[in-house]
Amino acid sequence: IRIHDNLFTHDTAKLESLADQIEERIYNLNLSVYARIDTLNEKTLFSMARAGVKWIGIGIESVRNIKNRKAIETIKMIQGCGMYTCANYMFGLPEDNFQSMQETMALALELNTEFANFYSCMAYPGSPLYNKIAMEESSRLPLTWEGYSQHGYETYPLSNNNLLAKEILAFRDKAFHTYFSNEKYLNMIDNKFGQKVVKHIRDITKIKLERRLLLEEKGNCII
């Protein structure tokens, strides 16, 4: 069961009550939840483990908005409670440049979580960032709804003062393959989940997403 609530761990009293009731009923649940990294501590994680939480999705996003030591300590606490982590990273935030994106990627490789998502920064319709960009520089926004898809052919990330949209997208796609092809990661997956899962991940990394933004106008060559 996946619980789509980014504030799942915010109300600790409610979380502990839920864990108590699940234990009383002797449910054998496999829960996946989301959490803010600054809401996680040993007591909260213990309650989550009692409730049957096996996976925690947390937003690391970028080294510009998180302290590396805090992230490392939190991942270790999660693993110590017998749970797995899906860390989420984002490239191309308004103040990002090549150096900061590389630092974010280095942190991802250091944390070496059981799964990771890599995203390009998008100004999604309805968000404050979208409203700001639409008023000031609408040319930076996708021309179609398909442009907001993170993994589609028409994907069009939000550029910033330091990076072009195609530079952000190219970095994101390379980051995905770098992470899931890393031998340190694959060895960890083998130890925890076995060779069947390792093979599945290797098969995934053989797939190369086609991106209009990363094709030259002549020759359809990947930039």
Side-chain angles (χ1 to χ4, degrees):
I1 301 172
R2 174 175 290 183
I3 300 176
H4 286 277
D5 179 3
N6 290 334
L7 297 178
F8 179 77
T9 57
H10 182 69
D11 188 338
T12 55
K14 183 178 180 180
L15 176 58
E16 290 177 17
S17 175
L18 174 65
D20 289 339
Q21 294 179 64
I22 289 175
E23 276 193 316
E24 288 175 7
R25 291 161 175 79
I26 318 179
Y27 291 147
N28 183 24
L29 298 181
N30 183 350
L31 298 176
S32 173
V33 305
Y34 294 92
R36 285 176 55 100
I37 199 168
D38 58 1
T39 66
L40 296 176
N41 53 54
E42 288 184 334
K43 182 179 180 181
T44 301
L45 289 169
F46 179 70
S47 296
M48 295 169 73
R50 289 194 300 120
V53 173
K54 299 295 191 295
W55 284 87
I56 303 178
I58 57 175
I60 304 291
E61 314 304 2
S62 166
V63 294
R64 289 189 175 274
N65 61 0
I66 198 166
K67 293 182 178 179
N68 291 18
R69 181 52 51 189
K70 173 64 176 176
I72 294 170
E73 292 173 354
T74 301
I75 298 303
K76 287 183 177 179
M77 283 195 298
I78 293 172
Q79 293 172 338
C81 290
M83 294 180 284
Y84 308 124
T85 306
C86 175
N88 298 283
Y89 302 93
M90 188 173 297
F91 301 116
L93 290 166
E95 300 303 321
D96 253 339
N97 54 34
F98 275 116
Q99 180 178 342
S100 65
M101 291 197 302
Q102 289 166 350
E103 290 172 356
T104 297
M105 186 59 199
L107 176 61
L109 293 172
E110 181 179 1
L111 294 179
N112 198 38
T113 57
E114 288 81 5
F115 202 78
N117 288 316
F118 298 98
Y119 299 106
S120 302
C121 183
M122 293 275 192
Y124 289 109
S127 67
L129 182 57
Y130 175 87
N131 294 334
K132 182 177 185 296
I133 298 300
M135 289 283 292
E136 298 176 359
E137 299 177 79
S138 60
S139 62
R140 293 168 59 193
L141 298 171
L143 297 177
T144 65
W145 285 110
E146 289 86 350
Y148 291 100
S149 167
Q150 287 283 344
H151 304 108
Y153 180 67
E154 300 289 347
T155 303
Y156 195 89
L158 181 67
S159 61
N160 63 28
N161 291 332
N162 304 309
L163 298 161
L164 300 174
K166 68 178 182 180
E167 293 174 326
I168 296 168
L169 185 58
F171 191 96
R172 180 268 156 208
D173 286 356
K174 183 178 179 181
F176 177 90
H177 285 274
T178 298
Y179 187 88
F180 288 102
S181 300
N182 185 21
E183 287 302 318
K184 177 184 175 183
Y185 171 77
L186 293 172
N187 288 336
M188 180 268 291
I189 292 297
D190 186 18
N191 291 332
K192 292 188 177 184
F193 304 109
Q195 271 297 309
K196 183 177 180 180
V197 178
V198 172
K199 181 182 182 303
H200 178 67
I201 292 171
R202 289 190 187 277
D203 288 342
I204 289 175
T205 56
K206 294 176 183 177
I207 301 171
K208 192 173 184 65
L209 295 177
E210 292 188 4
R211 311 287 209 173
R212 180 189 294 275
L213 195 59
L214 302 184
L215 296 175
E216 291 183 340
E217 291 184 3
K218 296 180 181 180
N220 287 342
C221 297
I222 298 295
I223 296 176

